[in-house]
mmCIF file of all heavy atoms in Angstrom:
data_model
loop_
_atom_site.group_PDB
_atom_site.id
_atom_site.type_symbol
_atom_site.label_atom_id
_atom_site.label_comp_id
_atom_site.label_asym_id
_atom_site.label_seq_id
_atom_site.Cartn_x
_atom_site.Cartn_y
_atom_site.Cartn_z
ATOM 1 N N ALA A 365 280.293 4.969 100.850
ATOM 2 C CA ALA A 365 281.628 5.123 101.595
ATOM 3 C C ALA A 365 282.562 4.111 100.976
ATOM 4 O O ALA A 365 282.265 3.146 100.349
ATOM 5 C CB ALA A 365 281.475 4.762 103.074
ATOM 6 N N ILE A 366 283.988 4.578 101.160
ATOM 7 C CA ILE A 366 285.003 3.576 100.749
ATOM 8 C C ILE A 366 284.928 2.326 101.306
ATOM 9 O O ILE A 366 284.538 2.350 102.642
ATOM 10 C CB ILE A 366 286.399 4.337 100.968
ATOM 11 C CG1 ILE A 366 286.511 5.459 100.037
ATOM 12 C CG2 ILE A 366 287.511 3.332 100.710
ATOM 13 C CD1 ILE A 366 287.822 6.361 100.333
ATOM 14 N N GLN A 367 285.116 1.219 100.714
ATOM 15 C CA GLN A 367 285.117 -0.138 101.261
ATOM 16 C C GLN A 367 283.638 -0.734 101.167
ATOM 17 O O GLN A 367 283.526 -1.865 101.486
ATOM 18 C CB GLN A 367 285.722 -0.325 102.624
ATOM 19 C CG GLN A 367 287.132 0.124 102.706
ATOM 20 C CD GLN A 367 288.026 -0.811 101.971
ATOM 21 O OE1 GLN A 367 287.947 -1.978 101.937
ATOM 22 N NE2 GLN A 367 288.864 -0.186 101.109
ATOM 23 N N ASP A 368 282.747 0.077 100.914
ATOM 24 C CA ASP A 368 281.325 -0.523 100.667
ATOM 25 C C ASP A 368 281.488 -1.529 99.524
ATOM 26 O O ASP A 368 282.137 -1.226 98.554
ATOM 27 C CB ASP A 368 280.313 0.590 100.246
ATOM 28 C CG ASP A 368 279.832 1.352 101.562
ATOM 29 O OD1 ASP A 368 280.134 0.985 102.515
ATOM 30 O OD2 ASP A 368 279.128 2.351 101.186
ATOM 31 N N GLU A 369 280.674 -2.604 99.747
ATOM 32 C CA GLU A 369 280.528 -3.683 98.795
ATOM 33 C C GLU A 369 279.174 -3.566 98.041
ATOM 34 O O GLU A 369 278.187 -3.666 98.617
ATOM 35 C CB GLU A 369 280.748 -4.908 99.279
ATOM 36 C CG GLU A 369 282.143 -5.333 99.742
ATOM 37 C CD GLU A 369 282.402 -6.776 100.270
ATOM 38 O OE1 GLU A 369 281.499 -7.520 99.908
ATOM 39 O OE2 GLU A 369 283.382 -7.140 100.703
ATOM 40 N N ILE A 370 279.271 -3.220 96.755
ATOM 41 C CA ILE A 370 277.972 -3.070 95.989
ATOM 42 C C ILE A 370 277.434 -4.403 95.530
ATOM 43 O O ILE A 370 278.164 -4.987 94.688
ATOM 44 C CB ILE A 370 278.146 -2.042 94.872
ATOM 45 C CG1 ILE A 370 278.735 -0.848 95.318
ATOM 46 C CG2 ILE A 370 276.793 -1.910 94.032
ATOM 47 C CD1 ILE A 370 279.066 0.114 94.145
ATOM 48 N N ILE A 371 276.306 -4.709 96.051
ATOM 49 C CA ILE A 371 275.773 -6.063 95.683
ATOM 50 C C ILE A 371 274.792 -6.037 94.418
ATOM 51 O O ILE A 371 274.835 -6.905 93.688
ATOM 52 C CB ILE A 371 275.074 -6.736 96.992
ATOM 53 C CG1 ILE A 371 276.114 -6.833 98.091
ATOM 54 C CG2 ILE A 371 274.387 -8.053 96.657
ATOM 55 C CD1 ILE A 371 275.516 -7.173 99.339
ATOM 56 N N ALA A 372 273.919 -4.957 94.565
ATOM 57 C CA ALA A 372 272.938 -4.933 93.523
ATOM 58 C C ALA A 372 272.585 -3.437 93.184
ATOM 59 O O ALA A 372 272.906 -2.507 93.990
ATOM 60 C CB ALA A 372 271.642 -5.541 93.967
ATOM 61 N N LEU A 373 272.098 -3.237 92.051
ATOM 62 C CA LEU A 373 271.749 -1.837 91.457
ATOM 63 C C LEU A 373 270.359 -1.970 91.148
ATOM 64 O O LEU A 373 269.899 -2.734 90.116
ATOM 65 C CB LEU A 373 272.605 -1.486 90.323
ATOM 66 C CG LEU A 373 272.583 -0.050 89.901
ATOM 67 C CD1 LEU A 373 273.839 0.405 89.139
ATOM 68 C CD2 LEU A 373 271.407 0.262 88.987
ATOM 69 N N ASN A 374 269.452 -1.231 91.717
ATOM 70 C CA ASN A 374 267.970 -1.249 91.511
ATOM 71 C C ASN A 374 267.443 -2.721 91.524
ATOM 72 O O ASN A 374 266.452 -3.026 90.668
ATOM 73 C CB ASN A 374 267.623 -0.575 90.063
ATOM 74 C CG ASN A 374 267.663 0.959 90.210
ATOM 75 O OD1 ASN A 374 267.752 1.522 91.184
ATOM 76 N ND2 ASN A 374 267.435 1.625 88.985
ATOM 77 N N GLY A 375 267.947 -3.384 92.494
ATOM 78 C CA GLY A 375 267.504 -4.793 92.634
ATOM 79 C C GLY A 375 268.058 -5.827 91.944
ATOM 80 O O GLY A 375 267.864 -7.013 92.003
ATOM 81 N N PHE A 376 268.927 -5.471 90.781
ATOM 82 C CA PHE A 376 269.602 -6.507 89.921
ATOM 83 C C PHE A 376 270.997 -6.786 90.506
ATOM 84 O O PHE A 376 271.829 -5.903 90.708
ATOM 85 C CB PHE A 376 269.838 -5.840 88.640
ATOM 86 C CG PHE A 376 268.539 -5.602 87.736
ATOM 87 C CD1 PHE A 376 267.889 -4.474 87.874
ATOM 88 C CD2 PHE A 376 267.857 -6.784 87.153
ATOM 89 C CE1 PHE A 376 266.703 -4.241 87.203
ATOM 90 C CE2 PHE A 376 266.713 -6.571 86.442
ATOM 91 C CZ PHE A 376 266.113 -5.354 86.568
ATOM 92 N N VAL A 377 271.104 -8.019 90.889
ATOM 93 C CA VAL A 377 272.416 -8.487 91.541
ATOM 94 C C VAL A 377 273.557 -8.375 90.459
ATOM 95 O O VAL A 377 273.367 -8.747 89.266
ATOM 96 C CB VAL A 377 272.310 -9.953 91.873
ATOM 97 C CG1 VAL A 377 273.651 -10.456 92.419
ATOM 98 C CG2 VAL A 377 271.224 -10.202 92.952
ATOM 99 N N LEU A 378 274.589 -7.714 90.910
ATOM 100 C CA LEU A 378 275.803 -7.414 90.017
ATOM 101 C C LEU A 378 276.693 -8.605 89.931
ATOM 102 O O LEU A 378 277.038 -9.182 91.099
ATOM 103 C CB LEU A 378 276.481 -6.162 90.495
ATOM 104 C CG LEU A 378 275.654 -4.897 90.492
ATOM 105 C CD1 LEU A 378 276.489 -3.719 91.137
ATOM 106 C CD2 LEU A 378 275.137 -4.458 89.099
ATOM 107 N N LYS A 379 277.180 -8.836 88.774
ATOM 108 C CA LYS A 379 278.305 -9.832 88.610
ATOM 109 C C LYS A 379 279.501 -9.016 88.127
ATOM 110 O O LYS A 379 280.324 -8.585 88.879
ATOM 111 C CB LYS A 379 277.910 -10.944 87.626
ATOM 112 C CG LYS A 379 276.750 -11.651 88.195
ATOM 113 C CD LYS A 379 276.298 -12.909 87.155
ATOM 114 C CE LYS A 379 275.049 -13.682 87.819
ATOM 115 N NZ LYS A 379 274.653 -14.694 86.936
ATOM 116 N N ASP A 380 279.666 -8.900 86.852
ATOM 117 C CA ASP A 380 280.709 -8.033 86.309
ATOM 118 C C ASP A 380 280.139 -6.781 85.585
ATOM 119 O O ASP A 380 280.690 -6.415 84.602
ATOM 120 C CB ASP A 380 281.693 -8.735 85.505
ATOM 121 C CG ASP A 380 280.989 -9.537 84.449
ATOM 122 O OD1 ASP A 380 279.790 -9.524 84.255
ATOM 123 O OD2 ASP A 380 281.782 -10.227 83.548
ATOM 124 N N ASP A 381 278.905 -6.537 85.788
ATOM 125 C CA ASP A 381 278.109 -5.564 84.851
ATOM 126 C C ASP A 381 277.701 -4.372 85.492
ATOM 127 O O ASP A 381 276.607 -3.672 85.183
ATOM 128 C CB ASP A 381 276.948 -6.382 84.317
ATOM 129 C CG ASP A 381 276.075 -7.090 85.439
ATOM 130 O OD1 ASP A 381 276.373 -6.905 86.519
ATOM 131 O OD2 ASP A 381 275.246 -7.816 84.972
#
Side-chain angles (χ1 to χ4, degrees):
I366 293 174
Q367 298 299 310
D368 280 353
E369 291 186 9
I370 304 174
I371 300 171
L373 193 159
N374 280 356
F376 293 94
V377 175
L378 299 175
K379 295 182 180 179
D380 57 357
D381 47 7

